[in-house]
Amino acid sequence: MKRQHPEISLHVLVKTLGCAIKKSYFLRKHRCLTMESQKQVLERLRGAFRSGVTRPVQFRLTQLQAMMSLFEDNETQILEAMHKDLAKPKFEAVLSEIELVVNDICCTISNLQTWMQDSYVGTNLATKLDDCFVRREPLGVVLIIGAWNYPLQLVVSPLIGAIAAGNCAILKPSEISQATEKLIAELIPKYLSQECYAVICGGAEETKTLLENRFDHIFYTGSQSVARCILQAAAVHLTPVTLELGGKCPCLIYGRLDMKAAAKRLVWAKFFNAGQSCVAPDYVLCTAETREMLLPFIKEALESFYGSEPEQSPDMGRIVTDRHWNRLVELLKKSEGKVVIGGESVKETKYIAPTVVVDVKESDALMQEEIFGPILPILTIKSLNEGIDFMNEREKPLALYAFSDESQVVATVLERTSSGGFCSNDGIAHMTLPGLPFGGVGASGMGNYHGRWSFETFSHKRGCMLRGWGLERVNVLRYPPYTESNLSWLRWATTAKKKGWASCSVM
């Protein structure tokens, strides 16, 4: 008996086939891979890594130079995508999404051969004739999961380190920044080796499925809640992870200082990218007297930067989605503080005015989670010690800022606090230098990157000793039967001598 098929109209059939063809075309064009193809992609990348193609320095340099070309050839498209996703001003997009990354690429290209050289370590008498060194080897196939607030930088910056260290990589850009996600999926396979690097798009389900696979390293930028899920998934395969998170970054303003300059730097750092930066000052700690002197300068700086109507300013970004806008508006509604600057919002355009809130208590809604938007609470303290205690009672932040002309104040804050990064008398600036490691500590993350630190993150430090067959007559001291005399000689030969501590040195 023939199986009976339900009738399908020609219209429905054509429509279904049309959708399938469009989907297939999109996937081919952008190499944006489905869940079904994840294992195949991983196998392809693993095969490429095992072949050794990524190990030679020339391959790594060629890929990094191709990455440079990607930025040079596509700046207009990058800026358009940033504007679609976040209404990001060209000035901010160029600084944070292009120049920051390009500088990192240049630093890596210039120094890669030096970084790849073996690091020789000091020896003792028992190993004097051996070659002892640390060799940095690639880990294998790594996964890089980006975030939506700097959707290009936070995928490509870690990728620079992965390439430099000789790894293959899968990129998972944020699905929230849709225009940039699409652009990354289009450009990466166009400029980089498709055998060694791939882009996988999708939301939470696709990411969950992706994490079921074994990787040799996972690099994640995002929220603490998702980071816990990343850690749980990585634990199944004992996969090492780097977590770039965030938290509430404090800005302590204390003692003598140039109040006008401080206000400008604070306002710029806080409202850059509409406050959607993991290193933005989350709240201010200062005395009541300092607050009253600071507020007029903050108002002045805001008007100087964005005009009397910030909503009309082309230099003021927007909140990324309706959901994120709603969260910020609700936080402001729940706050028991007093709004002294801003407070306006427009749902249709996802706009929130640069807002300053005073009389904020420790228990206020604005102090219970990272704000991640253009809202700045100011809390008052009576002394420097009180401010330091306040910060130390909370989770360690990704960045901590101290504003003061008094070097002793800055030194005290630096000495008595802990954070991922530290900057005095400015905000965000410290993370722009490739020579400084960027990363969190405690709840704000683990591991770091930028410049050489990215190369080290994606490298395995392999301790190596090359030994010949000479001096076997000396080696008999370690063989059974054991004697007190042999033990005494070995202790003398292997113990670091106080003068020079040669066995602990790295050359």
Side-chain angles (χ1 to χ4, degrees):
M1 179 182 291
K2 293 183 179 180
R3 180 176 295 179
Q4 299 295 316
H5 295 279
E7 292 185 0
I8 302 176
S9 70
L10 181 61
H11 172 74
V12 172
L13 183 60
V14 170
K15 185 176 181 180
T16 303
L17 288 173
C19 289
I21 291 170
K22 286 180 179 179
K23 181 178 180 182
S24 175
Y25 171 75
F26 179 83
L27 293 177
R28 288 199 311 272
K29 182 178 179 182
H30 301 299
R31 306 294 198 275
C32 199
L33 306 160
T34 61
M35 288 186 291
E36 291 76 21
S37 65
Q38 287 180 9
K39 289 189 180 296
Q40 293 175 321
V41 173
L42 266 168
E43 284 306 310
R44 187 179 79 238
L45 267 60
R46 288 201 185 284
F49 180 74
R50 286 193 294 265
S51 75
V53 66
T54 62
R55 286 179 174 264
V57 64
Q58 193 53 53
F59 175 85
R60 306 183 196 190
L61 290 172
T62 298
Q63 296 302 303
L64 291 170
Q65 288 159 357
M67 183 82 75
M68 185 77 80
S69 297
L70 184 155
F71 282 89
E72 292 172 349
D73 298 345
N74 300 280
E75 180 169 317
T76 300
Q77 294 94 309
I78 291 170
L79 296 177
E80 288 174 353
M82 297 297 158
H83 194 268
K84 286 180 182 178
D85 288 330
L86 292 147
K88 192 172 286 194
K90 176 182 176 180
F91 192 93
E92 293 186 2
V94 168
L95 283 183
S96 62
E97 303 278 5
I98 297 177
E99 286 304 310
L100 193 66
V101 179
V102 167
N103 287 341
D104 210 349
I105 296 173
C106 291
C107 172
T108 303
I109 290 175
S110 299
N111 295 284
L112 181 56
Q113 296 195 50
T114 300
W115 297 345
M116 290 176 62
Q117 291 176 1
D118 295 337
S119 300
Y120 283 82
V121 301
T123 57
N124 51 37
L125 289 175
T127 59
K128 206 66 178 175
L129 299 182
D130 302 322
D131 287 330
C132 302
F133 55 89
V134 178
R135 175 161 294 177
R136 288 159 179 83
E137 299 183 337
L139 298 173
V141 179
V142 303
L143 172 63
I144 298 171
I145 304 175
W148 55 262
N149 55 326
Y150 294 95
L152 186 60
Q153 179 215 129
L154 296 179
V155 167
V156 176
S157 283
L159 177 61
I160 295 167
I163 293 173
N167 299 281
C168 292
I170 286 182
L171 309 182
K172 170 59 184 69
S174 173
E175 73 281 6
I176 293 174
S177 302
Q178 294 180 2
T180 308
E181 177 194 38
K182 181 180 177 182
L183 186 63
I184 291 171
E186 177 184 341
L187 295 181
I188 291 296
K190 182 178 177 182
Y191 285 84
L192 302 185
S193 167
Q194 294 183 32
E195 295 304 310
C196 301
Y197 313 103
V199 180
I200 291 182
C201 299
E205 285 304 314
E206 287 80 2
T207 305
K208 181 180 177 182
T209 304
L210 187 59
L211 288 168
E212 292 173 0
N213 298 287
R214 182 180 68 81
F215 291 92
D216 298 293
H217 194 92
I218 298 174
F219 190 107
Y220 169 74
T221 303
S223 68
Q224 295 175 357
S225 58
V226 175
R228 293 184 177 92
C229 299
I230 301 286
L231 277 174
Q232 290 176 347
V236 174
H237 302 288
L238 296 179
T239 300
V241 299
T242 299
L243 301 177
E244 297 295 338
L245 310 178
K248 297 184 73 65
C249 300
C251 179
L252 176 64
I253 303 177
Y254 195 84
R256 302 187 314 274
L257 72 157
D258 184 334
M259 204 67 71
K260 185 172 184 178
K264 286 182 177 180
R265 297 183 188 186
L266 173 64
V267 166
W268 179 81
K270 174 61 183 179
F271 300 108
F272 190 93
N273 199 30
Q276 298 167 116
S277 302
C278 55
V279 289
D282 190 88
Y283 62 94
V284 169
L285 292 171
C286 64
T287 64
E289 181 184 7
T290 297
R291 183 191 68 185
E292 295 310 307
M293 290 189 292
L294 181 65
L295 281 173
F297 288 112
I298 291 179
K299 291 179 181 178
E300 181 182 315
L302 282 169
E303 185 161 349
S304 172
F305 291 177
Y306 308 113
S308 57
E309 297 183 14
E311 185 182 0
Q312 306 303 320
S313 172
D315 299 326
M316 187 69 198
R318 296 295 186 267
I319 306 306
V320 67
T321 67
D322 291 337
R323 177 170 64 86
H324 292 81
W325 183 91
N326 288 332
R327 183 187 70 83
L328 289 167
V329 170
E330 284 301 310
L331 273 181
L332 201 53
K333 286 180 180 177
K334 292 178 182 177
S335 173
E336 296 178 0
K338 178 183 178 183
V339 175
V340 292
I341 299 174
E344 303 84 9
S345 58
V346 181
K347 186 171 186 177
E348 290 74 19
T349 57
K350 299 189 288 291
Y351 167 77
I352 295 179
T355 299
V356 179
V357 186
V358 300
D359 298 334
V360 176
K361 298 179 180 178
E362 185 177 343
S363 59
D364 196 273
L366 291 172
M367 296 302 296
Q368 305 313 304
E369 61 182 274
E370 184 178 7
I371 294 173
F372 222 69
I375 302 169
L376 180 64
I378 299 180
L379 290 80
T380 55
I381 54 173
K382 294 180 180 178
S383 67
L384 179 61
N385 285 337
E386 183 184 347
I388 291 173
D389 290 342
F390 186 93
M391 293 185 288
N392 286 338
E393 287 166 1
R394 282 149 185 80
E395 296 285 6
K396 296 176 181 179
L398 184 58
L400 190 151
Y401 304 110
F403 283 27
S404 179
D405 279 347
E406 301 174 31
S407 59
Q408 187 57 46
V409 170
V410 173
T412 299
V413 176
L414 179 58
E415 178 68 24
R416 292 177 54 191
T417 60
S418 178
S419 60
F422 179 89
C423 184
S424 67
N425 299 323
D426 209 342
I428 299 182
H430 67 288
M431 66 162 291
T432 65
L433 188 64
L436 289 176
F438 177 71
V441 58
S444 59
M446 58 181 73
N448 46 52
Y449 70 125
H450 287 181
R452 177 161 191 168
W453 307 96
S454 298
F455 173 80
E456 297 290 353
T457 287
F458 288 103
S459 297
H460 166 59
K461 273 67 77 176
R462 188 179 189 182
C464 305
M465 176 185 285
L466 303 184
R467 166 166 284 189
W469 295 104
L471 298 181
E472 183 61 17
R473 293 171 66 180
V474 175
N475 287 330
V476 298
L477 294 173
R478 65 183 181 178
Y479 300 150
Y482 301 132
T483 67
E484 287 295 325
S485 174
N486 286 353
L487 179 60
S488 296
W489 276 106
L490 281 175
R491 292 181 71 173
W492 176 77
T494 59
T495 301
K497 303 301 181 285
K498 289 184 179 180
K499 186 177 181 180
W501 299 96
S503 62
C504 298
S505 64
V506 178
M507 295 178 285

